[in-house]
Amino acid sequence: VQLQASGGGLVQAGDSLRLSCVASGSFSSYAMSWFRQAPGKEREFVAQINWSGVSTFYADSVKGRFTISRDNAKNTGYLQMNSLKPEDTAVYYCAVVREYGLKRRPKDYDYWGQGTQVTVSS
């Protein structure tokens, strides 16, 4: 599976962005997640959606502001980010994993996209 993330940009605090992750291959066989990595920090879990889109999980830091979704017919996953804060500034990565269950560790994932930069100014 190859993943291509896009949709990042420079926005002001309080603005919204929608990230997309376009996949090749059997996208619907995988759970998909978004991670982010700020300069000097470890890559951290943001949100996960199961293969069907029924189950979602969020990091506490984004709960209520971010929404993860997917369209298997389009082989695409999304991350809608609202009420953005400067601390959301990071490179955002999409990743997929075939196994069931919540997976928060980057090492658990099978394939990764290249990342898209999100910068939120105050």
Side-chain angles (χ1 to χ4, degrees), residues 26-47:
S26 54
F27 178 64
S28 61
S29 300
Y30 294 84
M32 188 199 75
S33 291
W34 289 94
F35 287 78
R36 66 187 182 186
Q37 188 166 18
K41 295 188 177 182
E42 294 185 351
R43 193 168 297 189
E44 65 171 355
F45 172 83
V46 174

Side-chain angles (χ1 to χ4, degrees), residues 76-95:
T76 303
Y78 304 97
L79 185 68
Q80 177 68 42
M81 305 185 295
N82 298 330
S83 302
L84 281 162
K85 304 176 181 180
E87 51 263 45
D88 294 319
T89 295
V91 177
Y92 283 71
Y93 299 89
C94 56

Side-chain angles (χ1 to χ4, degrees), residues 32-34 47-49 56 58 66-70 78-79:
M32 188 199 75
S33 291
W34 289 94
Q48 181 182 332
I49 188 167
T56 57
Y58 296 92
F66 290 10
T67 302
I68 189 171
S69 61
R70 67 191 297 161
Y78 304 97
L79 185 68

